[in-house]
Structures are given as structure tokens and as C-alpha cells.
Amino acid sequence: MGSQHCWVMVVMFGFLFQAQLLNSQNFACNPKDLTALQDFMANLTTQLEDWASPIDCCEWEGITCEPPSSGRVIKLELSQKRLSGKLSDSLAGLDQLKIFNLSHNFLEGSLPKSLFHMPNLELLDLSSNDFFGPFPESISLPSIQILELSSNSLNDSLPSHICVNSTRIRSLNLADNFFSGDILPGLGNCSSLEQLSLGMNDLTGGITKDIFQLQNLTILELQNNDFDGKLNPGIANLSNLVRLDISSNNFSGEIPDVFSQLQKFQYLVAHSNKFVGTIPNSLSNSPTISLLNLRNNSLVGSIVLNCLAMVNLNSLDLGGNRFNGTLPDHLPLCRQLNNVNLGRNNFSGEIPESFKRFHSLSYLFLSNMSLHNLSNAFQVLQQCKNLTTLILTLNFHDETFPDDPNLVFDKLKVLAIPNSRLKGSIPQWLRNMTSLQFLDLSWNHLSGTIPKWFGSYRDLFYLDLSNNSFTGVIPKGLTELPSLIFDNISLDKSSLIVPLFSRWNESERGLQYNRFCSFPPTIDLSHNFLRGPIWSEFGNLGRLHVLYLKFNNFSGPIPGTLTRMISLEKLDLSHNDLSGTIPTSLESLTFLSKFDVSYNQLHGRIPSGGQFQTFPSSSFEGNDLCDDHWISCQEGISITDKGQKESMENSSLKEGFINGVAPGIIFGIVSSTVCINLYFKDFIPKFLSKWQ
Ligand SMILES: *[C@@H]1O[C@H](CO)[C@@H](O)[C@H](O)[C@H]1NC(C)=O
Ligand SMILES: *[C@@H]1O[C@H](CO)[C@@H](O)[C@H](O)[C@H]1NC(C)=O
Ligand SMILES: *[C@@H]1O[C@H](CO)[C@@H](O)[C@H](O)[C@H]1NC(C)=O
Ligand SMILES: *[C@@H]1O[C@H](CO)[C@@H](O)[C@H](O)[C@H]1NC(C)=O
Ligand SMILES: *[C@@H]1O[C@H](CO)[C@@H](O)[C@H](O)[C@H]1NC(C)=O
Ligand SMILES: *[C@@H]1O[C@H](CO)[C@@H](O)[C@H](O)[C@H]1NC(C)=O
Ligand SMILES: *[C@@H]1O[C@H](CO)[C@@H](O)[C@H](O)[C@H]1NC(C)=O
Ligand SMILES: *[C@@H]1O[C@H](CO)[C@@H](O)[C@H](O)[C@H]1NC(C)=O
Ligand SMILES: *[C@@H]1O[C@H](CO)[C@@H](O)[C@H](O)[C@H]1NC(C)=O
Ligand SMILES: *[C@@H]1O[C@H](CO)[C@@H](O)[C@H](O)[C@H]1NC(C)=O
Ligand SMILES: *[C@@H]1O[C@H](CO)[C@@H](O)[C@H](O)[C@H]1NC(C)=O
Ligand SMILES: *[C@@H]1O[C@H](CO)[C@@H](O)[C@H](O)[C@H]1NC(C)=O
């Protein structure tokens, strides 16, 4: 049986085809292409609406035929369509296909072999999917120019032979996969290569010599691998190189002094390696370099840059090395220098007088370097008219916060001087910092009251005054901060050179942010001697994400109005003298993930709805509360006793914290980055580190 049926089928198909051809305004997609697309569709577990209708496939979403009358599919572009399932091998049937872009979907499985034998394919982008397994052995894409497979789970060795049959590749991006082992020779055959991105894999060894033959290479990204040994001076042969990122590897030895041969070289990102020695002359005299990031190595000596030559230097990150001596006072001569991080080196002394003329300076990070004379530092830096961000963590120990009424920093948006044991109170002149968005003075010895005028900061969204000795009540003004009420925060989304940390969760590492704009809107007044009520007006702060008032002497009830803080994620009111009951209305705070009212004078029933189902019993202990999960309200036993021992242990741990283990914000500690920094987006890992 069968042959007759077969005939019938063939005839019917033929008929259908003709009907379709007639139906669709003279042209319809080629039957071969149609089959390939239907197979592709059938292998997906998601459907594309308009692909279901049997009209001309050239009209389908994401499909381009050219010329239209030919019915040949030349583009298949379905990026970010939430597609899942596997890629069908039959796609190879689209033999006229030039552009194939299915990036940012949920496709999985191994890469279809046939996809790597398409004669006309010029662009293949399957980045940000879940493809796994090794790269196909045999690759023959004679027309391919752009090959993007980043952010998948591909593994095994790198396809070094990729260009043997595919000689026209200009851009090869295999970053953020699990490729491992040494790079084998072969990439030297990719003579058209302009961009090679192999970052965030598990590659070992060094850069193979044949890569140095790639005369058109402009971008070489090898960050976050396990490369080691010396950096091969052969990079000098890459005469068109613009950007080199070798950060977060295990390169060691001195940085080879070969950069003067690279006439177009602009960006060197080499942080978090084991480089020793000094900054090579060819870098410190480079007329082309714009960004120099050598943070977190073991470089020594004093910093001497020839600013008269370095006319393009914009960003300098030398933090976390062993540079010593005094701060380089010639830096203001680098006329384009905008971002400077010199923190965590062995400098000492004061901020040089010459910094008064640092008119281009916008971001200055000088954490943890034994600086003294904060008063002078402010006098000098207030002359830097472009300064918006000033980070002075862990310096000026035991000095008094300067009180000079003539200080003006009206452009400053970010000021952080935590962990410096500063004495004194908050001076009046801070009031004139009208652009302030971010203030961190945590872990000092500041005392006095929190001034009323704090409420007049139009743009303030992050305030950390925790771990000081402030007294008095919370100024009502804090409940009127416009940027925490309205959705009008115009945050500076531009540059920043170092990873930033917040320790307020008191976990081992703290949370890492790379831009100030990605810190959650926060008020942290914990660990002070504040008293009085928690204002019901806090309910106004619909944009606040974190409110920490723990370890103070606040009294009175928990206002039910807090339920209007609809963005709230963390609320810690523990270790105060709060009384009354926990308002049941707080059940409606849907984003609340941390809630702690332990060790107060609260009584009554613990709300049980909403997020309250997820909070641990430790959030409530040390009160007179009851709850039908742990302690039945009928039995009338509080959970105070239950938590007693545990809390003793906790409090001795916290003591350790206070005594200096945990800085408020730490700068430049970890090299991997979490969010895309707009300014530096090209030079830092573009994706979440997969092992974080
Ligand atoms: C998936 O594609 C293959 C060709 O690669 C085809 O043989 C198969 O029929 C397709 N699967 C389904 C469920 O259609
Ligand atoms: C693929 O498509 C997305 C979305 O349109 C686009 O952002 C991306 O640049 C494309 N890929 C390439 C390599 O052009
Ligand atoms: C090059 O193409 C030939 C013929 O298609 C194939 O046999 C060979 O495996 C290809 N080489 C590589 C390295 O892909
Ligand atoms: C690659 O991944 C596959 C599946 O994810 C696994 O079975 C295989 O062992 C891995 N190979 C290597 C060399 O890691
Ligand atoms: C190019 O590929 C051929 C064939 O695999 C190989 O013999 C040759 O060494 C390669 N050339 C370079 C520069 O890697
Ligand atoms: C290198 O780039 C130049 C200029 O864009 C181009 O003319 C040349 O063909 C490229 N070389 C290769 C091997 O692609
Ligand atoms: C660099 O180029 C020079 C001359 O152009 C050549 O002699 C040398 O072998 C090359 N070095 C590497 C590592 O490719
Ligand atoms: C880094 O290289 C040093 C030698 O320079 C070696 O001792 C060390 O084990 C390497 N570390 C890692 C993590 O590979
Ligand atoms: C800097 O450190 C070097 C050793 O690395 C030492 O010889 C030199 O005296 C130090 N210079 C200053 C000014 O401390
Ligand atoms: C001040 O900063 C802005 C933006 O960061 C920049 O465009 C401008 O050139 C800077 N001014 C000076 C004098 O460098
Ligand atoms: C600071 O602001 C107050 C009023 O807000 C003003 O009287 C005073 O002159 C300002 N101080 C300076 C130094 O500009
Ligand atoms: C510094 O670099 C090393 C690798 O040399 C890395 O393991 C470490 O996490 C980095 N530390 C910081 C503070 O960035």
C-alpha cells in the first residue's frame, strides 16, 4: 500500500501550491523556503501569531524576501520574541539567507550543524539564548561577516579553525560561554577580523602568536578568563588596535612597553591581574589613550604621567596598586581628565593645592589612602568647578567635619566619606550643596541632630547616616524629600570607573552597584541615638525602597500610613521602643522582602497575609506578639523567650561589625560588574558574570 496514497498527496500538494501562488498577488515565498520555515516553526514550543495563517511567508513577522518577486527569504530576524524550543536543522534550506538574528530568546539544545554551512549567510546572531554543547566541528560560511554567539552555554574548546572555510569574518563574539582550554593556533586565518570577543569563558594559557597577525583587529576582548603568564609584546603588531580588555585574568610580570607602536590605541582595561613594575613609558606618554584602567594589580613607584603628551586621557583608574609617595600633583595638566581613581594605594599626605586647577575633574575616588586634613581637601576641591562625585572613604581618621561657612559645592551630586571616625556635627554649609543626590556619612562619630533643612534637598535619594551618634528626632523634612515622593529623579547615568558597594545588608560582601543610579532609594539612620516617633508622613515616600531605623530609641506606634510606601523592599525598625500593634495594612506592601521589628514593645497579632507569610520568626522576637503559626494567640505566650539565645549571639556579632569590620561603602573591591555602565559599556563585561 502507500504508492497510490502518495500520488494523491503529491497531486494535492501541487494543487495547493498553485492555489497559493495564485492567491498571493503574483509572488509567494519559494516552496523550499516555506518548508524550512514551517519546520523551524514546528520545532519551537512557542508560536508566532501571524505565521499560522497560510498567506505568503514573505509577509510573516521577521521575514524579508528580496527581491519581493523572487519569494526568496534573505532575512530572518526574530530577536527578543520569547521563542523557546530547538532550532531545526532544516533552516539550512533557506539557502539565500543573508541575515539570521534570533538573539535574546530562550532557544536551547546544541547548535544545528547545518546552520554552519549556509553559502550566503552574512550575519548570524544567536546571542543570549540557552544553546549548549560544543561548537560544530565543520564550519563553512563563506559569506559570514558577523558571528555572535555570546551569552549561551557553549563549551569545550574554542573553534580556532573557524576561518579555514569562512575567511570573511569581521566580528566574532563568543563571550560569556563555557569555552575552556588554551586557544589553539588557527585564528590567524581570520585575516578580516576586526573584533574578537572571548571574554567571560574559562580559557587558559596565553594569546596565541597568530592572533598578532590580524592586521585589521581593532577590538580584542579577553576579560574574565584564566589567561596567565606575561602579556605577549606581540600585541605591538596589531597596528590598528583601538581597545584591549584583558581584565580579570592572571596575567603577570611587567606590562610590555610597546604601546607607542599602536597609533590608534585608546582603551586599555587591564584591571585585576597580577602585573608588577611601573606604568610603561609608552602608556604614560600616549597621545591617543583615552582610558587607562590598571586597577587592582601590584604596580609600584610614583605616578608620573606626561600630561602634555596625553591630550586625550579622559579616565584614569589606578586604584588598588602599590603606588606610593604623595598624590601626583601634575594630574590637572591632563586637560581632558574627567574620572580619577587613585584609591587603595600607599599614598599619604594631603590633596595637592594644584588640584584647585583641576577644571575637567568630574569623578574623584580617593578611598583608603591615609589622607589627612579634610578641611584643606574641601578648600581645594571646591575650586574644581566640574566636580560631581567625591568619594573619600576611609581617610581623615578622627578629624572634625569642617565647619567653614564659605564652602560651596553646588554641583556636587555624590559625597561619600564613610568609615573615617569623623567627629563634629553636620555643618550648615552642607545645606548649600543644592545638587546633592547621594550622601554617605556612615560609620563615623558624628553627633548632634540631623538638621531640619535636609528636607530641602530636591534630588536626594540615598541618605546613609547610620552608625554615628546622632541624637534628637527625625526631622519631618525627610518625609518631604521630593525625589522620594515623585517619579522625577533625574539621576546621572553617566560614567563611573569603579564598582561600588553598599554594606547595609551586613552580609559578607555587601551589595555591589556600578553606578550611583542603581543604588536603591534609601534612608538609613540605624545605629544612632535618635528618639521620638516614626512620622506617619513617611507614608509620603512612595519611591523609597529601603528604610532602616534599627538600633535607636524610637517610640510610639508603627504608623499604618507606611502602607503607602508602595516601593518599599526593606523595612527594619528593630531594637527600638516601638509600642502598639503591627498594622495589618502593611500586608499590602507587595515588594517588601525584608521586615524586622524585633526587640520593641509591640503586642498583638502578627499579620499573616501578603509578604508576611515569608518573614522569619526572628523578625518578630523580643516583643509580646503572637501568631497562629508559631505561637497561638490563645495560649498567650510570646515568642520573646524563643528568640532570646539566638539574639544574644547576633548582638555580639554586630559588635564586631561596629568595631570596624564592615565599612559603609567600599570602593574598588570586586572586579566583576553587574550593570551596564553607559559610559564604559564598551570596556566592561557586558553581561552578568555567570559565576556570581
Ligand atoms: C524539526 O525539524 C526537523 C528537521 O530538522 C524535522 O525533520 C522535524 O519534522 C521537525 N520537527 C517537528 C516536530 O516538526
Ligand atoms: C539582532 O537584533 C537585535 C534586535 O533588533 C539587535 O539589537 C542586534 O544588534 C542584532 N544583531 C546584530 C549582530 O546586528
Ligand atoms: C572546510 O570545508 C570542508 C568542505 O566543506 C570541510 O570538509 C571541512 O571540515 C571544513 N573545515 C573546517 C575547519 O570547518
Ligand atoms: C559540555 O556540556 C555538555 C552538556 O551541557 C556536557 O555533557 C559536556 O560534558 C560538557 N563538555 C565539556 C568538555 O565540558
Ligand atoms: C590556516 O589554516 C590552515 C589550514 O588549517 C593552517 O594550516 C594554517 O596554519 C592556518 N594559518 C594560520 C595563520 O593559522
Ligand atoms: C582590512 O581593512 C581594510 C580597510 O578597511 C580593507 O581594505 C582590507 O580589505 C581589510 N583586510 C582584510 C584582510 O579584510
Ligand atoms: C610582529 O611583526 C614583525 C614584523 O612585522 C614580525 O617579525 C614578528 O614576528 C611579529 N610578531 C608576532 C608575535 O607576530
Ligand atoms: C596565577 O599565576 C601564578 C603564577 O604567576 C600562579 O602561581 C597562580 O596559581 C595562578 N593563579 C590562578 C588562579 O590561576
Ligand atoms: C615607594 O616604595 C618603594 C619600594 O617599593 C620605596 O623604595 C620608596 O622609598 C617608596 N617611596 C616613598 C616616597 O615612600
Ligand atoms: C565638565 O564636565 C562635562 C561633562 O562631564 C564635560 O563635557 C566638560 O568638558 C567638562 N568641563 C571641563 C572644563 O572639562
Ligand atoms: C548658603 O545658602 C544660604 C541660604 O540658603 C546663603 O545665605 C549663603 O550665602 C550661602 N552660602 C554660600 C557660601 O554661598
Ligand atoms: C583583584 O584581582 C584578583 C586577581 O588578580 C581577583 O581575584 C580579585 O577578586 C580582585 N580584587 C578586587 C578587590 O578587585
Side-chain angles (χ1 to χ4, degrees):
M1 86 161 255
S3 73
Q4 264 184 344
H5 281 107
C6 250
W7 268 113
V8 174
M9 294 272 283
V10 167
V11 170
M12 273 185 59
F13 261 114
F15 186 75
L16 281 172
F17 255 113
Q18 278 199 331
Q20 197 171 29
L21 278 170
L22 291 172
N23 265 343
S24 47
Q25 314 136 14
N26 298 329
F27 46 83
C29 72
N30 178 286
K32 202 172 148 205
D33 289 359
L34 182 65
T35 315
L37 290 175
Q38 285 171 333
D39 260 4
F40 161 65
M41 192 59 191
N43 274 281
L44 296 182
T45 51
T46 41
Q47 300 299 313
L48 286 155
E49 291 276 312
D50 71 353
W51 280 42
S53 55
I55 52 159
D56 181 3
C57 77
C58 294
E59 306 280 316
W60 289 352
E61 179 185 9
I63 303 286
T64 309
C65 295
E66 219 179 78
S69 55
S70 72
R72 298 311 308 264
V73 176
I74 61 144
K75 293 186 186 176
L76 175 52
E77 296 167 299
L78 292 167
S79 188
Q80 279 178 298
K81 294 285 185 256
R82 307 188 147 270
L83 301 179
S84 58
K86 296 190 170 157
L87 264 198
S88 160
D89 250 326
S90 65
L91 279 167
L94 301 171
D95 57 15
Q96 298 300 309
L97 199 65
K98 290 185 179 160
I99 309 278
F100 187 39
N101 186 346
L102 295 180
S103 60
H104 290 95
N105 282 297
F106 302 97
L107 300 166
E108 55 174 14
S110 51
L111 293 171
K113 291 192 174 59
S114 60
L115 214 55
F116 292 82
H117 292 272
M118 299 180 73
N120 293 303
L121 200 60
E122 293 168 11
L123 182 154
L124 176 59
D125 188 350
L126 298 176
S127 58
S128 298
N129 279 287
D130 301 318
F131 292 109
F132 55 79
F135 212 88
E137 278 290 321
S138 167
I139 305 151
S140 183
L141 297 168
S143 308
I144 199 85
Q145 296 190 32
I146 297 175
L147 193 48
E148 284 266 354
L149 288 163
S150 57
S151 297
N152 281 285
S153 300
L154 302 172
N155 67 0
D156 218 334
S157 56
L158 206 66
S160 294
H161 58 282
I162 193 161
C163 292
V164 172
N165 295 326
S166 317
T167 56
R168 301 171 70 176
I169 301 183
R170 287 192 291 117
S171 174
L172 178 60
N173 188 348
L174 301 175
D176 195 19
N177 279 288
F178 294 94
F179 291 111
S180 58
D182 292 3
I183 304 181
L184 299 172
L187 288 171
N189 271 332
C190 302
S191 54
S192 300
L193 208 56
E194 292 165 16
Q195 167 159 8
L196 179 59
S197 301
L198 304 176
M200 287 181 281
N201 282 290
D202 302 322
L203 298 168
T204 53
I207 308 175
T208 48
K209 283 215 181 74
D210 61 338
I211 289 180
F212 302 129
Q213 297 164 11
L214 301 174
Q215 280 310 304
N216 278 6
L217 199 64
T218 57
I219 297 171
L220 180 56
E221 294 173 323
L222 304 171
Q223 75 278 10
N224 288 76
N225 280 288
D226 295 320
F227 291 118
D228 60 7
K230 293 194 170 179
L231 181 62
N232 195 317
I235 46 168
N237 281 17
L238 298 171
S239 55
N240 279 303
L241 199 64
V242 171
R243 183 189 310 163
L244 176 64
D245 188 344
I246 51 170
S247 59
S248 299
N249 278 290
N250 196 17
F251 285 112
S252 55
E254 300 200 1
I255 302 172
D257 193 5
V258 295
F259 296 91
S260 55
Q261 296 178 54
L262 305 180
Q263 311 253 312
K264 298 178 180 166
F265 196 57
Q266 291 182 37
Y267 311 100
L268 176 59
V269 187
H271 69 78
S272 304
N273 279 288
K274 299 213 167 68
F275 287 119
V276 298
T278 55
I279 304 175
N281 279 329
S282 56
L283 286 176
S284 59
N285 286 282
S286 166
T288 53
I289 202 153
S290 156
L291 180 146
L292 180 58
N293 183 345
L294 303 174
R295 169 166 42 89
N296 188 24
N297 280 287
S298 299
L299 301 172
V300 296
S302 49
I303 295 173
V304 183
L305 303 182
N306 179 359
C307 284
L308 297 180
M310 301 187 83
V311 291
N312 281 302
L313 187 66
N314 177 276
S315 187
L316 178 68
D317 189 347
L318 301 175
N321 280 288
R322 295 187 198 145
F323 292 112
N324 67 356
T326 51
L327 277 173
D329 60 0
H330 62 287
L331 289 185
L333 296 173
C334 292
R335 300 306 287 263
Q336 300 294 323
L337 197 50
N338 193 242
N339 307 321
V340 175
N341 177 21
L342 301 175
R344 299 171 64 239
N345 279 294
N346 301 331
F347 293 118
S348 57
E350 302 186 17
I351 292 189
E353 285 290 312
S354 63
F355 275 34
K356 278 182 176 161
R357 292 183 299 277
F358 218 151
H359 298 304
S360 58
L361 189 65
S362 164
Y363 293 76
L364 182 62
F365 296 79
L366 298 176
S367 311
N368 198 355
M369 49 200 296
S370 319
L371 292 177
H372 59 86
N373 203 345
L374 180 57
S375 180
N376 180 61
F378 280 139
Q379 292 293 347
V380 169
L381 294 173
Q382 73 166 335
Q383 314 282 330
C384 304
K385 289 303 175 202
N386 231 10
L387 192 65
T388 60
T389 300
L390 180 57
I391 310 296
L392 299 171
T393 310
L394 279 159
N395 283 297
F396 310 109
H397 288 308
D398 301 311
E399 293 187 22
T400 301
F401 205 100
D403 194 14
D404 181 345
N406 293 318
L407 288 169
V408 181
F409 280 93
D410 53 1
K411 293 251 176 61
L412 204 63
K413 294 177 178 170
V414 176
L415 176 63
I417 324 179
N419 267 80
S420 300
R421 302 196 304 252
L422 293 178
K423 292 178 296 197
S425 55
I426 292 185
Q428 270 287 327
W429 66 266
L430 229 56
R431 184 176 189 171
N432 295 35
M433 262 190 218
T434 47
S435 306
L436 200 65
Q437 301 182 346
F438 185 109
L439 179 64
D440 183 357
L441 297 175
S442 62
W443 300 91
N444 282 303
H445 293 164
L446 298 172
S447 56
T449 58
I450 301 172
K452 285 199 184 74
W453 43 260
F454 258 78
S456 61
Y457 288 126
R458 199 179 55 244
D459 299 322
L460 190 69
F461 76 96
Y462 187 98
L463 175 65
D464 188 351
L465 300 177
S466 66
N467 297 284
N468 279 289
S469 303
F470 290 113
T471 53
V473 299
I474 303 178
K476 271 249 173 88
L478 285 191
T479 66
E480 289 155 13
L481 287 168
S483 57
L484 295 177
I485 298 177
F486 308 109
D487 195 4
N488 69 344
I489 309 182
S490 56
L491 294 176
D492 187 0
K493 295 194 177 68
S494 65
S495 62
L496 233 214
I497 32 178
V498 293
L500 304 163
F501 294 86
S502 155
R503 277 279 182 145
W504 42 248
N505 73 344
E506 295 185 5
S507 71
E508 255 299 291
R509 266 239 170 112
L511 299 174
Q512 184 188 341
Y513 305 95
N514 296 309
R515 285 180 287 166
F516 288 103
C517 63
S518 36
F519 277 82
T522 295
I523 293 179
D524 188 349
L525 305 178
S526 57
H527 291 277
N528 278 293
F529 302 110
L530 298 166
R531 58 181 170 74
I534 294 174
W535 304 115
S536 61
E537 290 87 344
F538 267 110
N540 295 341
L541 304 182
R543 300 264 305 153
L544 192 67
H545 289 227
V546 178
L547 178 60
Y548 280 177
L549 301 176
K550 63 187 164 179
F551 288 94
N552 278 289
N553 302 319
F554 293 119
S555 56
I558 300 175
T561 52
L562 298 192
T563 184
R564 298 195 345 249
M565 301 169 88
I566 51 173
S567 308
L568 206 60
E569 292 167 18
K570 298 181 180 185
L571 178 62
D572 195 335
L573 307 176
S574 65
H575 296 269
N576 281 294
D577 290 319
L578 300 172
S579 54
T581 59
I582 303 175
T584 318
S585 57
L586 295 181
E587 288 175 356
S588 69
L589 290 174
T590 44
F591 294 114
L592 204 58
S593 61
K594 181 191 161 105
F595 178 82
D596 197 339
V597 292
S598 59
Y599 299 94
N600 279 290
Q601 314 285 337
L602 300 167
H603 67 265
R605 183 184 287 268
I606 298 171
S608 55
Q611 288 295 97
F612 277 81
Q613 297 162 35
T614 66
F615 303 138
S617 63
S618 58
S619 293
F620 304 101
E621 68 195 19
N623 286 290
D624 211 4
L625 293 163
C626 66
D627 161 278
D628 286 331
H629 285 295
W630 302 305
I631 307 294
S632 158
C633 286
Q634 273 72 38
E635 286 169 29
I637 312 163
S638 84
I639 59 173
T640 314
D641 312 318
K642 189 174 145 195
Q644 201 84 55
K645 184 156 175 289
E646 202 184 327
S647 89
M648 294 280 287
E649 284 160 9
N650 276 346
S651 70
S652 59
L653 269 179
K654 281 187 184 122
E655 215 70 74
F657 256 104
I658 294 165
N659 290 333
V661 192
I665 298 185
I666 302 181
F667 292 87
I669 294 297
V670 163
S671 54
S672 64
T673 45
V674 172
C675 78
I676 299 174
N677 177 318
L678 298 183
Y679 188 84
F680 290 91
K681 68 180 175 195
D682 296 332
F683 329 118
I684 60 170
K686 291 188 177 133
F687 316 99
L688 279 176
S689 170
K690 63 190 171 232
W691 49 76
Q692 68 186 342

